[in-house]
Amino acid sequence: MRRDGLHGNRSRRTGKGRLLLRTALGLLAVAVVALPFTVAWQYDALRRTVAAQAAPPASAGAGAGADAKAAPAGSAPVVLAYHDIGPDGRSRYTVSLKNFDAQLRALRDAGYRTLSTEEFTDFLRSGRAPGPRTVYLTFDDGTHGLWTHADPVLAKYGMKAAAYLITGQVGTHRPYYLSWAEIERMARSGRWDFQAHTHLSHERAAVDAAGHERSAFTNRLWRADEGRVETSGEYRRRIAADLGRSVRDLVAHDLPRPRLFAYPFSERLDESNLGADDAEALRSLLRKRFAATLTNSAARPLPAGPRAAAAGQVQRLEITRDTTPAGLLRELARWAPVAPKDADRPLSRQAHWETTGDTGPAGPGVLTGDSRPPAGTDYVSADYRPLATADWTHYRLRAGADGLHGTSNSVGITVRAGSEHPVALSVGRNTASLTSGGPQGTGERRTCRLEPSATHRITVSVTPRQVRMSVDGDSCPAVRAGRWRVAEGAGGFSLGVRNDGPEQRWPRFTSLKVE
């Protein structure tokens, strides 16, 4: 009986053990099956997270009041390029909350109004200025600081901004990027609109066998498994798919179709490994989808205006951690368009000149002979306010030059500077010439003989259809425009002095007047 009882106890214990084992295995199976769904739920919850916003800082004093009063009233908006707002002092692209607040306060005190993307694109299309003092605030990448820090400050000052999203990164690497839920709330506020900054092409990747990395958007990538660079067709299909996905992502989240696109890293096409055909194909893909593109690093100065609208690309003023409110207003003054009649005594305004090339400081001092050009240099030139004069189409220059000796030196004037159709003038002791430039080296050259003299008086008249030059009252042949839009030939002017002879005898400009 006892043996039977022990056997029965063992049987019951064995049965319980098997039941516990089956239960444990069942729970494990459920957990394994549920794991992907749990992870997906947690990931989705993370993407839908809405973080608490930081309170905007209390305003301290009147900000950059004196600079605000001095800021000119430009007739075209200036586009400001921000990246992130927050406490991270490690990156030069993160503006502190305190500094951002002070910048917006300085803009408000100077009478600036912020534009929506719709207002800005309306300006590009019509050319009608939206007001005397306007800025278009843009933020690249879609970082979390836009919701937590920037939005409350915008609300404080009643301003608007546009966020350029890398749509494939939204909700990832939290809390670095915004979530779609935060984007939805920002859109509902009326302070924000959202534009395109690629889907997942905002990254650097290898472009050759050596592993050199460049922007994946503006370069054909290296295919390591095949030991080659991707073909033109592969590149174009990849970029078209990325742009399409970026647009679809925004529309799928009930946001308006994007009107503008910001280049990743603001890399220029002339610095990529794209050939001319691929670069044009990229521009064509962008033109089909967007009204214009934005960059912080254009090969030619293209602030918002008719020339930028004609080119379909607008240059932005980049704001970094070190940009002070007063510095911001000074930059806005530098970008503000001026009329030819407002170019007062240009040779006496050192700050209005920007050196071209790698010749060190040029400014009016080198052009007027008040300072010596750098050693080993045979040519020095400088642009006059290239951003402020980008849309000039009608103007006249009157200049005086002396110190012209033989054929070894000359003075130069380039009009329509920085445009697709510049005209370069060169005046020496015995001869003068006009040389027009254009795409793919198109252009023409006109020359005329001069009465030999070390001193000449030069007059240059610029209109959309022709450039005329006279020296000492005698006309030289004119250079006439081709069949291109007026805006494509708009631009201000630059001056240069050349001395390529063995003697250090530099010519100089003795006078300059703009009419």
Side-chain angles (χ1 to χ4, degrees):
M1 293 290 295
R2 186 172 60 186
R3 188 178 297 115
D4 293 341
L6 289 172
H7 179 73
N9 288 337
R10 288 196 188 99
S11 298
R12 285 193 294 274
R13 286 197 298 271
T14 301
K16 289 181 179 179
R18 290 173 178 169
L19 178 61
L20 289 172
L21 179 59
R22 286 196 297 270
T23 302
L25 290 173
L27 291 173
L28 180 61
V30 170
V32 170
V33 172
L35 180 62
F37 298 98
T38 303
V39 172
W41 177 83
Q42 291 176 336
Y43 178 68
D44 186 59
L46 194 63
R47 290 170 69 89
R48 291 185 284 107
T49 299
V50 176
Q53 291 185 306
S59 298
D67 296 282
K69 298 296 187 296
S75 59
V78 176
V79 186
L80 306 185
Y82 287 89
H83 286 82
D84 200 6
I85 307 298
D88 184 2
R90 295 170 298 176
S91 171
R92 67 183 295 264
Y93 297 109
T94 300
V95 176
S96 72
L97 182 58
K98 180 179 179 181
N99 202 21
F100 182 59
D101 181 271
Q103 289 168 359
L104 295 199
R105 186 168 72 253
L107 291 174
R108 181 201 63 188
D109 292 348
Y112 280 92
R113 181 173 69 87
T114 55
L115 303 179
S116 66
T117 296
E118 182 177 4
E119 291 174 307
F120 180 70
T121 52
D122 283 348
F123 163 74
L124 290 179
R125 185 187 67 254
S126 68
R128 291 191 294 271
R133 298 183 186 219
T134 56
V135 289
Y136 175 47
L137 305 183
T138 68
F139 292 80
D140 283 359
D141 304 341
T143 56
H144 190 238
L146 275 57
W147 164 253
T148 55
H149 299 293
D151 184 60
V153 180
L154 288 175
K156 175 181 175 180
Y157 292 105
M159 293 185 175
K160 300 175 183 178
Y164 284 70
L165 301 179
I166 310 169
T167 59
Q169 298 288 12
V170 174
T172 69
H173 305 289
R174 296 281 289 169
Y176 185 76
Y177 289 110
L178 292 165
S179 68
W180 283 114
E182 289 166 341
I183 291 169
E184 179 185 350
R185 293 198 181 192
M186 292 164 70
R188 287 205 308 262
S189 74
R191 289 184 289 275
W192 295 88
D193 60 70
F194 299 89
Q195 305 301 315
H197 199 40
T198 78
H199 173 63
L200 277 176
S201 289
H202 192 296
E203 62 178 0
R204 298 193 185 277
V207 297
D208 56 29
H212 295 112
E213 294 189 342
R214 299 292 295 272
S215 168
F217 187 76
T218 53
N219 287 272
R220 291 162 57 186
L221 302 184
W222 177 254
R223 294 197 163 195
D225 55 338
E226 301 176 34
R228 64 176 178 87
V229 174
E230 66 182 343
T231 66
S232 293
E234 290 166 342
Y235 168 75
R236 298 178 192 186
R237 287 191 293 272
R238 174 170 62 84
I239 296 303
D242 184 272
L243 291 173
R245 178 63 187 274
S246 173
V247 171
R248 290 194 301 273
D249 283 349
L250 292 166
V251 173
H253 286 86
D254 297 324
L255 298 170
R257 184 181 179 87
R259 303 285 306 282
L260 298 173
F261 175 85
Y263 275 94
F265 308 113
S266 283
E267 287 198 341
R268 288 160 36 180
L269 294 184
D270 58 350
E271 296 175 341
S272 75
N273 67 2
L274 300 182
D277 289 344
D278 287 333
E280 181 53 36
L282 175 58
R283 284 189 284 263
S284 178
L285 287 171
L286 292 168
R287 282 194 298 267
K288 289 177 182 177
R289 291 166 173 81
F290 308 103
T293 61
L294 307 180
T295 180
N296 305 345
S297 177
R300 296 179 290 129
L302 292 171
R307 198 168 99 191
Q313 185 176 98
V314 180
Q315 188 164 329
R316 301 183 292 183
L317 170 58
E318 189 169 53
I319 309 300
T320 67
R321 178 185 62 195
D322 301 323
T323 305
T324 65
L328 170 58
L329 292 176
R330 285 194 296 271
E331 282 297 292
L332 289 173
R334 188 170 72 90
W335 285 55
V338 295
K341 64 181 179 59
D342 297 323
D344 180 39
R345 296 181 297 131
L347 287 178
S348 66
R349 310 285 186 178
Q350 173 76 34
H352 288 174
W353 295 86
E354 294 187 14
T355 300
T356 56
D358 301 320
T359 57
V366 175
L367 300 173
T368 59
D370 294 330
S371 59
R372 298 289 295 175
T377 301
D378 59 15
Y379 180 75
V380 175
S381 65
D383 290 332
Y384 176 74
R385 305 188 72 174
L387 293 167
T389 64
D391 291 304
W392 280 14
T393 53
H394 297 76
Y395 56 100
R396 177 184 293 117
L397 305 179
R398 297 186 186 275
D402 72 7
L404 299 166
H405 300 280
T407 60
S408 64
N409 68 13
S410 61
V411 296
I413 302 174
T414 298
V415 294
R416 297 180 184 147
S419 78
E420 293 185 354
H421 303 276
V423 176
L425 298 80
S426 177
V427 178
R429 178 181 176 84
N430 306 319
T431 60
S433 66
L434 290 84
T435 305
S436 63
Q440 288 80 50
T442 59
E444 57 182 329
R445 180 182 176 86
R446 298 281 188 268
T447 61
C448 60
R449 300 291 300 176
L450 305 178
E451 188 70 27
S453 175
T455 301
H456 288 302
R457 291 177 291 106
I458 308 161
T459 300
V460 188
S461 299
V462 183
T463 70
R465 290 299 155 210
Q466 67 177 4
V467 173
R468 301 185 64 88
M469 177 175 67
S470 65
V471 180
D472 301 328
D474 296 327
S475 296
C476 291
V479 171
R480 289 178 172 78
R483 295 182 178 179
W484 35 263
R485 289 176 291 180
V486 169
E488 293 175 358
F493 66 92
S494 66
L495 301 183
V497 289
R498 181 180 66 87
N499 174 42
D500 54 12
E503 300 178 358
Q504 288 296 303
R505 304 175 70 177
W506 285 89
R508 67 189 184 106
F509 285 93
T510 57
S511 63
L512 177 66
K513 184 178 181 181
V514 185
E515 301 171 346

